Amino acid sequence: MKISTRGRYAIRVMLDLAEHNTGEYIPLMDIAKRQEVSEKYLEAIVSVLSKNKFVHALRGKGGGYRLSRTPEEYTMGSILRLTEGSLAPIACLEDEPNLCERASVCKTLTMWQGFYQLINEYFDRITLEDLLREGEDGGNYVI
């Protein structure tokens, strides 16, 4: 499993908005500069975040983006599933119920299900607030 730049940058955008949260809208250009990512690429990411109500968007002078909830209400799992789609390590786990014709005889299915559960549980227990605190405590995190 590999998380794309889209997923990683979405987390960075959300973290940037949390770090600079004053209640004001933050221009995408400012986020792009701080994160050293093209504004054009971030436009596609914040569009998805905005459509799914993860951020509020305001057009025009004084516009930009801000979080629609508090940092502790966003999990890395929710952000990654939104931008990456399923975090399933194998295709047959993407459908519920599992539509694989071999599911009833597959000797590896429970192994993959367990791994999938670990992935979701891991990312669902880390919030934006956790990453903010880690950064404040002098910890390092790479997204």
Side-chain angles (χ1 to χ4, degrees), residues 6 9-10 13 27-29 31-32 37-51 55 57 59 65 83:
R6 180 180 171 107
Y9 290 175
V13 165
L28 190 60
M29 178 176 55
I31 299 167
V37 177
S38 111
E39 188 175 350
K40 184 91 171 143
Y41 191 52
L42 290 185
E43 283 175 1
I45 293 170
V46 295
S47 174
V48 171
L49 294 171
S50 178
K51 284 178 186 167
V55 298
R59 291 194 177 288
Y65 299 89
T83 55

Side-chain angles (χ1 to χ4, degrees), residues 99-134:
L99 301 176
C100 177
E101 59 191 46
R102 292 191 35 82
S104 63
V105 296
C106 181
K107 295 191 184 299
T108 62
L109 183 58
T110 55
M111 173 188 68
W112 294 120
Q113 288 169 327
F115 183 51
Y116 185 32
Q117 183 178 348
L118 287 172
I119 292 167
N120 283 305
E121 287 174 356
Y122 177 76
F123 285 122
D124 285 339
R125 74 173 181 250
I126 301 170
T127 67
L128 276 180
E129 181 67 29
D130 294 332
L131 294 182
L132 285 173
R133 277 199 316 263
E134 183 172 335

Side-chain angles (χ1 to χ4, degrees), residues 5-69:
T5 55
R6 180 180 171 107
R8 292 192 340 263
Y9 290 175
I11 291 172
R12 286 171 53 182
V13 165
M14 296 294 287
L15 190 54
D16 189 283
L17 290 171
E19 287 176 319
H20 298 93
N21 185 12
T22 62
E24 301 292 320
Y25 286 90
I26 300 170
L28 190 60
M29 178 176 55
D30 294 355
I31 299 167
K33 283 181 186 174
R34 283 192 295 265
Q35 296 303 317
E36 300 176 340
V37 177
S38 111
E39 188 175 350
K40 184 91 171 143
Y41 191 52
L42 290 185
E43 283 175 1
I45 293 170
V46 295
S47 174
V48 171
L49 294 171
S50 178
K51 284 178 186 167
N52 287 278
K53 301 187 184 340
F54 276 50
V55 298
H56 291 297
L58 181 65
R59 291 194 177 288
K61 185 176 171 74
Y65 299 89
R66 68 179 186 197
L67 297 178
S68 58
R69 295 175 263 167

Side-chain angles (χ1 to χ4, degrees), residues 62-88:
Y65 299 89
R66 68 179 186 197
L67 297 178
S68 58
R69 295 175 263 167
T70 61
E72 60 270 6
E73 294 179 82
Y74 297 96
T75 67
M76 296 308 101
S78 66
I79 297 168
L80 288 172
R81 281 187 292 276
L82 180 63
T83 55
E84 297 288 318
S86 172
L87 298 176

